[in-house]
Amino acid sequence: MITIFSARKILTMNPQNPEATHVAIRDGVILGAGNLSDLGGWGDYELNIDFADKVLMPGFVEGHCHLQEGALWSHTYVGFFDRMSPEGEMNVGCPSLDEVLAKLAAAEAKMDDPTAPLPAWSLDPIYFDNQRVNRAQLDSISTERPIGIMHASGHIMNVNTKALELAGLLRPGINHEGVPLGADGLPTGELKGPDVMSPVSIHVGFDRDMLACDEGGMWRFGKLCVRAGVTTATDLAARLPEDAVNLMHKVTGNKTFPARIVPLRFHHGVSPEDLIKHVEDLAPKSTDKLRLGRIKIVVDGSIQGFSARLRAPGYYNGAPNGLWYIAPEQLAYVLENALAKGILVHCHTNGDEATQLVIDTMRRALREHPATDHRFTLQHCQLADTAQFKQIKELGLCVNLFANHHHYWGDQHYELTVGPERAERMNAAGTAARLDVPFAIHSDAPITPLGPLFTGWCAMNRKTASGRILGEREKITLDQALHAITLGAAYTLHLDGEVGSIEAGKRADFAVLEDDPLDMGVDGLKDTRVWGTVLGGEIFAAADV
Amino acid sequence: MSDGPLLLTIIAGYLGAGKTTLVNQLLRHANGTRYAVMVNEFGSLPIDEDLIEAEGDDLITLAGGCVCCSYGDDLMMAMAQMRDLEPRPDHILLEASGVALPGNIAAAISLFGNDIEVLGIVLLADAEVLSDQLANPYLSDTVTRQLAAADLAVLTKVDLATPDQMQRARQIVADHAPNAAVIESEGADLTQSILLLSRQDTQQTFGTDHTPHHIHLVTETLPMADAVDAESFADQLALNPEVVRAKGHLTNSSDGRLMTLQLVGRRYSVYPAAAYVKQGLVIIKTNGH
């Protein structure tokens, strides 16, 4: 059965046929985009006019996010910014610490079990003049139940006295830089870094495996995709044990699940040899909605956590260099073997020294195993300079830049972590575009909200949360932004032959928009209203999910 | 069984320094000691199939009461699991990943308070390649930060190193681990003996001169018949640059309690002894420095 959708406008992202009024599909595959009379030649069809006043784009591709975003929505959101829940409820941001506490008190009042934990997420004290939160404030909500608030960065947590007690940390004599002490010699309740957070997080209701996602979380993640116009999304750091893969098969195999999921196998906790073997075993288990067999390597830490590896001149505030999360020899082993076997690898490199290590390692690996379309991608790649982008281009690497980070934490990078000059050139999408490096831009949801149109706005405007324009020369155009969130991201996943544009032979995955992004323009792209999506011909309305 | 803290030894050092070999040696010669071995990932521990009693996703139970667990990216959760094991292991051996900073690991473990105590950071450094690692801009600060945290620094593969490499390696250790006790070792045997330090070890002579590179080690046994202030005695021992390792029991002068003393390099632990032990202390020292 052939269906032809009519639309106000179809932005195909196919440069050979950029705009159309109709798109014909059969069995989830696009027959063509054009006008009705041309498409009618495919045979009998049903004309669907539901989208006659809408604008269609290819379904957006989020090349760096985590299913964890879905799991977190079972906890209380206390972020500074308004954020839409998977169910479409706008969670009004908390502009002050008092309102964070008020929101927690409201959540507390709804709980029956007086000792059950109260987990909350997305606190960001940099918007409250870096006012520190302490356990006494959280104790005002409850002294009976453990309370924990994960910061938006994911690197810090605040907990109440009960939580410290349960974790055995309410005692004098603690000597750890991640555990600030109060005047009484006891921890203040602020916990910095994964080593410190992990023993407490289980007591406050966060899962043991923070990156894992349960069934309910996956469905909530799917709803967020529909609201954001996303039809293909990565789960960029998954361990993928058998039960997790089975769960992903079950959920994505359901016809009503609205997204294609691309989980990348995280390198941690497994030897490089076993890592390669694991993804080789997983690859044949792929389906059209679950794409397995790719690797994610985390090379360094984060810039705001001062664990990213930086080249000279290092951190602006004089902090010592960060940490390697993989030994260079192990990185080389994975890159070489993955090239030899045709396995796609994405490398998280926040700092420019980590980026350079991947460049140097890749250069040697390619000499051993020449490949022209490997699509190996540097994720975040926030601090790369022009010379590095040139090497990235020469080696056939792609980048996926953290445009949203620039908006939310650019001010902090300017003032504290890397200083003005490097903050201006961070996430250099303009340079990537000038040098023709294949690039995407991302949200890293749940670190920032899933929403490619907003991410595109960030990369075009480079406006920080305080309103500072950070890096005029690295702004990109509307066309480049729209490409980055469709074909650009699809290319980094080796899926651009399948998704990312509306053209004959590709999957019938669309973002259905109320507004035309070309009319919304550079300033207004983030306000483009999303009606919903189409995935493989199935229609998903945001209002119904 | 002692009711003191669960003791933990961190075995650190860059790839190829011999960490896994040492852990395997210790397991093979456990001799009744129930080790909990923590590794970054399974794969490199060649545990004989017939020793494996039960195998889970991240925990392997071995014959003789030893267990082996992989901690991946959540060391602290795995550590809590080890603390809560029944029956309690006698000792935790933590094999750090090649790029981990053992000082950070020790700091994190301090959060377990009196439950788990770091007995020592044993830092293995491959004498053959140590100076190359220092010259590698990607690695130098990682390797020097590892060295700086060492209580006991072990130069390994000294039989393979040229005299020139040995000299440079010794200088690097002296520069970057000035507070560590230092030994030199061909294989893992020596380090194993030092760490195990049981009664029968006192019969051995350490550091026999297979090669001219060895630092000569001697074992001393003190009867500890008289009571001493346990903390200050241990402190003095730790300040003595010749002392590499000590283990034994002594009577504390202030309260007359029998205490156990464990020392690795510059770090020590003193805690109430089990009921059935007797006074006496074994000390391994370098000789001729």
Side-chain angles (χ1 to χ4, degrees):
Chain A
M1 186 63 204
I2 295 169
T3 304
I4 296 181
F5 290 99
S6 69
R8 170 153 64 106
K9 187 196 262 186
I10 300 174
L11 294 175
T12 67
M13 298 311 292
N14 170 12
Q16 296 159 327
N17 178 31
E19 289 191 14
T21 55
H22 293 77
V23 55
I25 67 170
R26 184 176 62 202
D27 299 331
V29 171
I30 297 167
L31 298 175
N35 59 42
L36 187 58
S37 62
D38 286 348
L39 294 172
W42 281 97
D44 289 345
Y45 62 86
E46 182 181 297
L47 184 66
N48 184 318
I49 57 165
D50 289 354
F51 302 146
D53 62 343
K54 314 279 188 248
V55 174
L56 298 188
M57 279 192 68
F60 301 131
V61 181
E62 173 49 276
H64 188 151
C65 63
H66 303 273
L67 291 177
Q68 188 201 9
E69 163 97 31
L72 281 175
W73 278 105
S74 59
H75 307 327
T76 305
Y77 174 74
V78 294
F80 179 78
F81 298 94
D82 296 351
R83 192 152 169 166
M84 181 81 81
S85 80
E87 286 72 30
E89 178 195 349
M90 182 53 85
N91 276 249
V92 178
C94 301
S96 71
L97 190 51
D98 285 342
E99 299 190 47
V100 170
L101 295 173
K103 193 149 187 205
L104 285 172
E108 210 275 336
K110 286 187 213 150
M111 296 172 74
D112 297 329
D113 179 352
T115 58
L118 172 54
W121 61 292
S122 210
L123 179 70
D124 208 339
I126 63 167
Y127 299 116
F128 314 147
D129 290 330
N130 263 324
Q131 186 186 351
R132 307 326 282 181
V133 181
N134 62 49
R135 64 189 158 87
Q137 290 160 320
L138 300 185
D139 288 347
S140 73
I141 310 298
S142 174
T143 53
E144 297 298 306
R145 72 173 80 254
I147 302 174
I149 315 177
M150 181 70 78
H151 286 214
S153 69
H155 298 281
I156 304 178
M157 184 185 281
N158 275 99
V159 300
N160 69 345
T161 300
K162 186 70 185 178
L164 288 173
E165 250 173 47
L166 290 173
L169 286 179
L170 193 70
R171 55 184 168 81
I174 289 177
N175 179 15
H176 192 288
E177 59 180 14
V179 186
L181 304 179
D184 57 0
L186 297 172
T188 63
E190 184 171 274
L191 306 169
K192 298 189 271 191
D195 284 347
V196 181
M197 291 181 340
S198 140
V200 189
S201 61
I202 46 161
H203 295 290
V204 297
F206 285 99
D207 288 336
R208 179 186 163 174
D209 181 356
M210 292 289 287
L211 292 172
C213 193
D214 57 7
E215 188 165 356
M218 276 193 79
W219 281 100
R220 282 195 292 274
F221 183 84
K223 293 178 181 184
L224 288 167
C225 287
V226 173
R227 292 185 191 288
V230 171
T231 51
T232 299
T234 50
D235 184 23
L236 211 73
R239 285 180 189 76
L240 299 177
E242 199 177 349
D243 52 350
V245 174
N246 290 341
L247 174 65
M248 287 179 176
H249 269 133
K250 178 183 166 197
V251 173
T252 58
N254 189 317
K255 215 177 165 188
T256 60
F257 186 76
R260 302 183 199 284
I261 302 296
V262 189
L264 272 66
R265 197 343 175 158
F266 191 27
H267 88 269
H268 269 196
V270 60
S271 69
E273 295 82 0
D274 291 345
L275 176 66
I276 297 278
K277 188 171 177 313
H278 190 199
V279 293
E280 281 189 294
D281 291 346
L282 286 173
K285 296 180 179 159
S286 290
T287 65
D288 63 330
K289 281 169 73 183
L290 182 66
R291 311 307 289 258
L292 298 158
R294 294 165 174 80
I295 289 174
K296 157 87 173 283
I297 297 175
V298 178
V299 181
D300 67 343
S302 74
I303 299 168
Q304 75 270 38
F306 300 100
S307 52
R309 292 288 308 190
L310 267 57
R311 300 185 299 182
Y315 286 104
Y316 194 47
N317 70 347
N321 207 349
L323 304 174
W324 295 116
Y325 285 29
I326 186 169
E329 289 87 338
Q330 293 174 330
L331 173 68
Y333 178 92
V334 177
L335 293 185
E336 283 172 21
N337 283 276
L339 278 175
K341 293 170 185 290
I343 298 167
L344 179 61
V345 181
H346 282 205
C347 294
H348 155 127
T349 67
N350 261 319
D352 53 354
E353 191 188 19
T355 293
Q356 192 63 44
L357 175 65
V358 175
I359 288 171
D360 290 352
T361 309
M362 196 64 188
R363 188 178 287 122
R364 285 194 306 272
L366 278 169
R367 247 176 245 143
E368 295 292 317
H369 303 283
T372 50
D373 67 339
H374 52 77
R375 315 269 174 106
F376 284 18
T377 299
L378 295 165
Q379 288 285 354
H380 300 324
C381 196
Q382 296 204 76
L383 279 173
D385 65 11
T386 304
Q388 289 184 321
F389 273 102
K390 286 183 176 165
Q391 297 171 79
I392 287 166
K393 173 68 182 167
E394 285 156 5
L395 295 171
L397 289 160
C398 313
V399 296
N400 191 345
L401 303 165
F402 199 172
N404 286 24
H405 190 97
H406 206 72
H407 170 71
Y408 287 107
W409 289 290
D411 292 317
Q412 211 181 6
H413 293 311
Y414 186 93
E415 285 151 18
L416 183 68
T417 64
V418 297
E421 182 179 335
R422 288 177 295 172
E424 295 261 342
R425 73 144 197 254
M426 280 177 80
N427 295 297
T431 298
R434 280 189 289 279
L435 295 177
D436 202 20
V437 172
F439 74 95
I441 48 181
H442 66 267
S443 68
D444 200 8
I447 303 301
T448 74
L450 183 72
L453 292 164
F454 174 75
T455 302
W457 176 86
C458 290
M460 292 187 296
N461 292 282
R462 296 182 68 88
K463 190 186 275 185
T464 67
S466 74
R468 173 188 275 137
I469 301 298
L470 197 51
E472 186 67 40
R473 289 284 297 147
E474 295 300 340
K475 288 180 175 177
I476 57 173
T477 65
L478 181 57
D479 285 348
Q480 289 165 342
L482 294 179
H483 185 272
I485 60 175
T486 53
L487 280 173
Y491 185 88
T492 67
L493 296 169
H494 242 312
L495 291 175
D496 55 314
E498 231 179 281
V499 300
S501 64
I502 299 177
E503 58 182 291
K506 286 193 158 182
R507 296 193 183 277
D509 295 358
F510 312 133
V512 183
L513 310 174
E514 301 279 8
D515 307 301
D516 181 350
L518 300 185
D519 293 342
M520 299 302 285
V522 169
D523 290 338
L525 188 67
K526 68 180 167 58
D527 302 317
T528 307
R529 291 166 299 159
V530 177
W531 178 89
T533 59
V534 175
L535 184 87
E538 298 290 325
I539 296 170
F540 297 94
D544 298 340
V545 297
Chain B
M1 278 294 289
S2 147
D3 46 8
L6 183 50
L7 292 181
L8 175 145
T9 301
I10 299 173
I11 297 170
Y14 196 67
L15 300 184
K19 299 186 297 292
T20 305
T21 310
L22 175 59
V23 169
N24 277 312
Q25 288 266 19
L26 289 165
L27 268 183
R28 226 167 276 144
H29 298 90
N31 210 6
T33 302
R34 287 177 309 104
Y35 284 116
V37 176
M38 302 179 69
V39 295
N40 189 42
E41 76 262 336
F42 290 140
S44 49
L45 275 184
I47 298 167
D48 292 336
E49 289 278 332
D50 59 326
L51 287 180
I52 297 175
E53 286 189 345
E55 207 168 342
D57 269 353
D58 48 13
L59 187 73
I60 297 176
T61 308
L62 307 174
C66 291
V67 295
C68 182
C69 103
S70 70
Y71 56 84
D73 61 338
D74 199 345
L75 174 66
M76 297 299 276
M77 285 306 301
M79 190 66 69
Q81 201 188 350
M82 294 297 101
R83 176 194 58 191
D84 300 335
L85 271 184
E86 288 290 343
R88 192 173 103 145
D90 297 326
H91 197 109
I92 301 177
L93 295 172
L94 170 65
E95 182 186 340
S97 85
V99 285
L101 301 184
N104 291 6
I105 294 176
I109 289 166
S110 75
L111 297 174
F112 286 98
N114 295 328
D115 291 353
I116 303 177
E117 186 159 345
V118 177
L119 171 58
I121 296 172
V122 179
L123 193 284
L124 308 188
D126 180 340
E128 235 189 332
V129 298
L130 186 58
S131 61
D132 295 340
Q133 289 167 351
L134 266 279
N136 179 336
Y138 289 122
L139 291 183
S140 63
D141 71 304
T142 298
V143 172
T144 55
R145 284 153 94 182
Q146 288 177 341
L147 280 166
D151 297 306
L152 173 64
V154 185
L155 280 175
T156 60
K157 303 188 180 171
V158 295
D159 51 330
L160 302 174
T162 64
D164 187 43
Q165 287 169 333
M166 272 314 292
Q167 195 204 336
R168 278 182 283 160
R170 284 181 182 140
Q171 190 57 50
I172 289 166
V173 172
D175 289 347
H176 296 285
N179 297 318
V182 182
I183 60 169
E184 296 174 5
S185 165
E186 274 179 31
D189 287 0
L190 174 69
T191 317
Q192 170 216 328
S193 306
I194 290 171
L195 290 179
L196 292 177
L197 193 58
S198 52
R199 281 277 167 190
Q200 57 268 34
D201 293 323
T202 63
Q203 309 305 319
Q204 299 173 9
T205 309
F206 291 103
T208 46
D209 286 324
H210 297 304
T211 76
H213 308 312
H214 272 167
I215 294 173
H216 198 71
L217 295 175
V218 293
T219 304
E220 222 175 77
T221 306
L222 303 180
M224 302 305 294
D226 299 328
V228 292
D229 183 295
E231 281 289 335
S232 60
F233 182 86
D235 213 37
Q236 286 304 310
L237 215 52
L239 286 172
N240 183 341
E242 291 180 0
V243 175
V244 171
R245 175 82 168 99
K247 179 182 172 184
H249 316 288
L250 42 83
T251 307
N252 191 27
S253 51
S254 61
D255 54 9
R257 281 188 82 174
L258 189 63
M259 307 297 282
T260 297
L261 165 66
Q262 286 263 21
L263 178 148
V264 174
R266 300 290 80 86
R267 195 190 290 256
Y268 64 85
S269 174
V270 176
Y271 52 92
Y276 53 83
V277 301
K278 291 199 178 105
Q279 287 95 338
L281 194 65
V282 187
I283 301 174
I284 301 175
K285 302 163 89 165
T286 55
N287 192 15
H289 276 252

